[in-house]
Amino acid sequence: MRNRRLQILTYFVLGYMTLAFVWWSVLLWTKNQDAYRAKIELQQLGMAAEGAIASPMDFYTSERYQELKRAYRRQERMILGETIFLSISLLAGMYVIYLGYRREVKASRQQRNFLLSITHELKSPIAGIRLALETIAKRGDRLQVDKRQQLSERGIKEADRLNKLVEDLLLSARLENAYQFQQEPLDLTQMAKRIVGRMKQQRPDAQIQLNIAPDVPQIQGDRQALTSVLINLVENALKYSGGQPDVNVKLHTAANQEVVLEVEDHGIGISNLDKERIFEKFYRVGSEDTRRTKGTGLGLFIVKELVRAHQGHISVSDNQPQGTIFKVTLTALAA
Ligand code: ADP
């Protein structure tokens, strides 16, 4: 609301300035014409008094008139030139203000989105952990062993969620401040097998296939960073697949000796408009009220930054008949 009022006020001031400027230009133009006519009259009278011309009409053939006319044209060109130059400067200024305003609005919307999601993301695991601990504290000795086990596991899961959120926040802040990456030869085949194995244990209800082509070359990179890329993409594929996720993780070598990692799902898919924005920091599809999944909009921003830091490339496309494919391309380590 405050932004809207500020926008209206800015446009009002700029509109007023433009009108005032046009008005002053027209005024200058007419005053110049008036001055020109007055000078003609004055010179006509002067030359007639000097006896230099026989009739007033003769003045128009004289050298003085030609000079006056040249000076007048020069001034006309000057007024026109300045009007055009200042109009362009004014329009350019308005455009810059408009761009700045749009950036501000976007940043504040992101901030709002971030605060809304982070409040929820922070509060719900804390509430979960507290509930589990309270139940154990109150009814600890009366609880059956398996129930206590269940509560402890739930508490640990919520603590892990909280931990991931804090790690994502720290990592995204570090990525924006010259994060130092380790460089070591990495075997993505082993990495993918390990991560997918772990995910399968965590989500026994989900189908996660792993298709690894033989002899995928090693790459040079940061183990933690690339683990984070894989985990984020697979977690998203599971998260945005609804009831029974069916995810396919592929690893192969492209013709130009690049290592290609693809994570495919058959989930809700991403519209073309959102495809352009999902890698932005804090961007989440939909609104806080309609969304049912948990998240902060940091995952894909981190993935994109990490892939970029490895001189790689990430793209997103539609899967058939539905769902999404994320494709990461990285340069293979020279043999
Ligand atoms: P988060 O999952 O925490 O919201 P991300 O940055 O990982 O944040 O993702 C940004 C948005 O992109 C998500 O909110 C979601 O709407 C969309 N998205 C990401 N991965 C998928 C996917 N595999 N299928 C459908 N939508 C996805």
Side-chain angles (χ1 to χ4, degrees):
M1 189 66 198
R2 228 184 89 222
N3 267 339
R4 185 97 202 121
R5 254 188 256 147
L6 202 70
Q7 191 188 18
I8 292 172
L9 187 72
T10 312
Y11 285 136
F12 176 76
V13 172
L14 288 174
Y16 175 77
M17 273 167 66
T18 314
L19 280 180
F21 175 66
V22 170
W23 166 244
W24 282 109
S25 301
V26 172
L27 208 67
L28 200 63
W29 187 270
T30 51
K31 289 288 163 216
N32 189 41
Q33 273 176 348
D34 289 349
Y36 175 57
R37 280 191 211 109
K39 275 185 199 160
I40 290 178
E41 260 177 54
L42 201 71
Q43 302 255 1
Q44 247 175 350
L45 286 174
M47 282 180 81
E50 285 165 15
I53 48 173
S55 84
M57 291 316 280
D58 291 344
F59 173 70
Y60 294 102
T61 53
S62 71
E63 181 52 32
R64 275 201 218 168
Y65 170 69
Q66 296 305 328
E67 217 170 274
L68 261 183
K69 201 167 140 186
R70 276 198 294 275
Y72 171 66
R73 292 275 177 247
R74 244 196 331 272
Q75 266 160 348
E76 247 186 3
R77 276 199 299 275
M78 207 180 79
I79 296 172
L80 203 69
E82 276 186 15
T83 306
I84 292 173
F85 175 74
L86 281 174
S87 301
I88 291 174
S89 313
L90 209 66
L91 284 176
M94 277 190 207
Y95 185 63
V96 170
I97 292 177
Y98 169 72
L99 286 186
Y101 169 77
R102 270 212 1 209
R103 244 196 323 269
E104 277 292 303
V105 169
K106 200 170 138 195
S108 84
R109 197 178 306 138
Q110 273 186 348
Q111 186 98 348
R112 189 173 151 271
N113 253 354
F114 169 65
L115 282 178
L116 281 172
S117 52
I118 201 148
T119 311
H120 178 258
E121 285 293 293
L122 278 172
K123 282 181 96 169
S124 71
I126 292 174
I129 293 168
R130 191 188 161 92
L131 189 71
L133 289 176
E134 254 176 13
T135 317
I136 294 172
K138 267 193 207 148
R139 304 179 22 215
D141 40 355
R142 278 175 286 134
L143 279 176
Q144 282 170 355
V145 178
D146 58 342
K147 181 72 188 162
R148 201 167 353 171
Q149 178 74 13
Q150 214 181 32
L151 282 169
S152 310
E153 274 168 16
R154 195 187 302 163
I156 292 170
K157 222 166 137 180
E158 296 290 9
D160 283 346
R161 204 173 124 196
L162 205 58
N163 192 35
K164 171 156 187 339
L165 171 68
V166 174
E167 271 178 6
D168 276 358
L169 278 173
L170 290 178
L171 184 59
S172 64
R174 268 157 58 197
L175 279 172
E176 285 175 321
N177 292 299
Y179 182 75
Q180 287 294 313
F181 288 97
Q182 303 280 328
Q183 290 293 331
E184 57 176 314
L186 295 175
D187 183 353
L188 283 185
T189 303
Q190 291 308 322
M191 205 179 250
K193 278 184 184 165
R194 192 167 36 81
I195 291 167
V196 169
R198 211 166 70 204
M199 295 262 178
K200 275 183 172 170
Q201 278 181 354
Q202 284 172 2
R203 289 289 304 265
D205 59 314
Q207 271 209 36
I208 314 179
Q209 286 113 356
L210 189 58
N211 287 299
I212 301 182
D215 303 326
V216 173
Q218 290 195 325
I219 60 148
Q220 180 87 354
D222 183 296
R223 181 176 300 277
Q224 209 188 339
L226 290 166
T227 305
S228 178
V229 168
L230 244 164
I231 291 180
N232 265 305
L233 291 179
V234 179
E235 271 185 352
N236 273 354
L238 294 171
K239 192 156 79 172
Y240 299 104
S241 281
Q244 275 207 322
D246 177 5
V247 176
N248 198 359
V249 180
K250 290 185 188 167
L251 193 63
H252 58 94
T253 320
N256 51 0
Q257 280 300 300
E258 282 186 318
V259 178
V260 180
L261 167 77
E262 280 175 290
V263 179
E264 305 175 344
D265 65 56
H266 295 91
I268 57 172
I270 305 174
S271 73
N272 286 340
L273 218 63
D274 284 318
K275 278 194 196 97
E276 289 174 20
R277 302 202 53 195
I278 48 170
F279 296 104
E280 288 174 19
K281 199 174 181 186
F282 303 133
Y283 186 78
R284 301 198 73 214
V285 174
S287 76
E288 261 334 289
D289 311 322
T290 54
R291 235 178 261 131
R292 271 178 287 138
T293 50
K294 295 165 185 161
T296 53
L298 275 174
L300 287 181
F301 167 76
I302 291 175
V303 167
K304 184 198 72 188
E305 290 296 315
L306 292 175
V307 170
R308 199 163 59 181
H310 285 79
Q311 283 81 46
H313 179 257
I314 183 162
S315 62
V316 56
S317 57
D318 292 331
N319 199 3
Q320 295 306 330
Q322 71 170 76
T324 313
I325 304 175
F326 281 92
K327 181 173 171 185
V328 175
T329 315
L330 296 160
T331 314
L333 193 62

